[in-house]
Amino acid sequence: MITGCTVRKIWGLFRHGTRNPSKSIIDHMLVTLPELQRDIVEHGQICREQLELFERWQPRIKAEDAKLLVREGGDELYQLGQRIRKRFGKSVPERYDGNVFRFKFTKTERAEYSARNFTRGLFGRDETIDYPEALRRDPVLRFYKGCEKWKRQVKENPYSYREMDRFGSSKEMRSVIEKLSKRIGMFVSPEEAHAIYQTCAFETAWSERDISPWCLLFDKESISTMEYNEDLKYYWIDGYGYELTYRQACSAFNDLFASMEENDGPNFTFYFTHSGTLLKSIAFLNLYKDNEPLTAQHYRYKRKWRVSHIDAFGSNLYFVLYK
């Protein structure tokens, strides 16, 4: 809140809460990791306490649950709703009114239930919300899904993955493979290393307290290396790599300005969307932009573009108009 001012409008983009991984990663959890688990139990170079964690580990997910919101993700959005209420207090009406509020989500289970948990936290109760029709190719909430030019020239362009591929064969990534292979007691492929990293990340996100045994196979340097590999991918696909990528976000920000300027529309607009929307919007606003483009040889540089910091589950970007 700003002293001496009253809140007139709020407009925000919210990434859905913590979800399950994609089917391809789940397949690794169900097939690849149990094989590695056996190697670790039989040949692993780890301490007894860590070995016991691997002996007890079991996959906690089924293929049909791919990308569904998990309980932790619902809690995240519920608490975000509570925090918006605490931050703006009586400036935001305590009961839902369709003329005052606009809530919308994409046509995905994770976005829908993120919205429903958010409103429960915001109002402190279950309210009957009038949600507009959810669209698979929403021109505001998921604008990139309708841009064939971006798909062809960026997302499906092998050149877009050049820096990530280069870093994948760097001495830093080779060091990660060597250290993992030594701890597991068997040679690990780059694909298997990625599966271990993703499982570590998701199992960490799923629980506030439990430690994923797969995280114990990495040291801090290895985690930083794997993180940079991910950052290169998102920089060139969803960030500053190509101007076309972030200029698409103009449709979302056109909606923002129209919302701020209209007198008879809702005062409080909350959209529930995805990583691709948040990252492109961040780049559209010139936020977290490094002086030089991210490339394979920039690993040792201190960088602003760190996806784990700026695009976690539940990340959000909202604007407040004061009077």
Side-chain angles (χ1 to χ4, degrees):
M1 295 293 290
I2 297 178
T3 304
C5 297
T6 55
V7 174
R8 285 201 58 235
K9 302 261 189 174
I10 299 177
W11 183 98
L13 298 172
F14 290 75
R15 187 186 176 191
H16 58 75
T18 297
R19 59 163 171 80
N20 286 327
S22 63
K23 185 180 181 300
S24 62
I25 296 173
I26 293 175
D27 288 342
H28 279 300
M29 289 179 168
L30 297 175
V31 179
T32 306
L33 293 195
E35 293 175 357
L36 292 173
Q37 180 188 28
R38 288 191 290 273
D39 292 333
I40 292 167
V41 171
E42 293 175 12
H43 311 290
Q45 302 296 310
I46 57 178
C47 68
R48 182 65 211 167
E49 184 180 327
Q50 294 174 344
L51 193 61
E52 289 173 355
L53 290 174
F54 276 103
E55 287 172 342
R56 294 196 300 269
W57 180 84
Q58 288 184 328
R60 295 183 275 168
I61 191 169
K62 301 188 292 290
E64 55 265 33
D65 294 333
K67 293 192 174 182
L68 297 183
L69 194 75
V70 298
R71 179 179 295 179
E72 185 76 14
D75 288 344
E76 288 161 357
L77 270 293
Y78 177 81
Q79 291 179 37
L80 272 173
Q82 288 182 318
R83 283 157 59 185
I84 292 287
R85 167 64 61 196
K86 184 176 180 181
R87 177 166 292 177
F88 296 106
K90 295 188 183 301
S91 298
V92 178
E94 294 183 3
R95 299 301 300 264
Y96 172 73
D97 180 338
N99 294 316
V100 177
F101 289 95
R102 177 175 171 83
F103 300 100
K104 193 177 185 187
F105 46 79
T106 64
K107 197 163 187 170
T108 61
E109 184 268 0
R110 57 195 182 277
E112 176 179 347
Y113 284 96
S114 290
R116 294 186 185 280
N117 279 280
F118 178 89
T119 58
R120 194 175 297 126
L122 181 67
F123 296 116
R125 62 175 73 82
D126 282 316
E127 293 270 334
T128 302
I129 309 293
D130 181 21
Y131 294 105
E133 179 187 0
L135 306 173
R136 290 197 181 279
R137 293 189 172 190
D138 192 299
V140 175
L141 276 68
R142 225 176 182 186
F143 43 81
Y144 52 95
K145 287 290 184 179
C147 185
E148 295 299 324
K149 183 178 180 180
W150 173 77
K151 289 180 188 176
R152 289 194 313 273
Q153 295 187 4
V154 180
K155 189 176 182 182
E156 297 171 358
N157 179 3
Y159 194 82
S160 302
Y161 302 87
R162 182 183 62 164
E163 295 303 328
M164 186 180 73
D165 292 341
R166 284 177 173 174
F167 191 68
S169 58
S170 67
K171 67 179 189 299
E172 289 87 1
M173 285 296 289
R174 289 198 301 271
S175 175
V176 172
I177 298 295
E178 289 168 5
K179 285 187 280 189
L180 275 178
S181 298
K182 184 177 180 181
R183 302 207 76 188
I184 290 173
M186 301 286 285
F187 175 75
V188 176
S189 69
E191 186 178 32
E192 289 170 332
H194 180 71
I196 293 170
Y197 177 73
Q198 289 291 332
T199 303
C200 162
F202 275 100
E203 290 191 344
T204 298
W206 287 338
S207 174
E208 288 184 21
R209 293 172 296 278
D210 296 339
I211 296 173
S212 171
W214 299 99
C215 295
L216 303 174
L217 298 176
F218 295 105
D219 57 19
K220 286 186 177 181
E221 178 65 20
S222 295
I223 286 286
S224 295
T225 303
M226 297 296 290
E227 181 188 19
Y228 190 70
N229 193 54
E230 296 273 294
D231 287 348
L232 283 171
K233 173 186 174 182
Y234 289 108
Y235 181 90
W236 290 95
I237 300 300
D238 288 319
Y240 289 107
Y242 297 90
E243 186 179 359
L244 172 62
T245 298
Y246 54 86
R247 285 192 65 182
Q248 296 176 82
C250 63
S251 62
F253 289 96
N254 182 61
D255 187 271
L256 162 66
F257 283 110
S259 171
M260 294 295 181
E261 290 169 357
E262 64 185 5
N263 295 318
D264 55 352
N267 292 337
F268 305 101
T269 300
F270 298 98
Y271 291 140
F272 298 87
T273 180
H274 304 266
S275 170
T277 301
L278 263 293
L279 288 175
K280 294 174 185 69
S281 298
I282 284 169
F284 183 88
L285 295 172
N286 225 35
L287 300 173
Y288 306 106
K289 186 175 185 180
D290 295 285
N291 293 330
E292 298 290 333
L294 257 62
T295 64
Q297 67 262 34
H298 286 158
Y299 170 58
R300 297 293 174 187
Y301 292 20
K302 186 175 182 181
R303 68 188 185 281
K304 299 174 184 175
W305 183 267
R306 298 190 65 170
V307 174
S308 62
H309 290 195
I310 63 177
D311 185 43
F313 292 124
S315 290
N316 52 86
L317 173 68
Y318 64 87
F319 298 81
V320 183
L321 180 65
Y322 288 95
K323 182 177 181 182

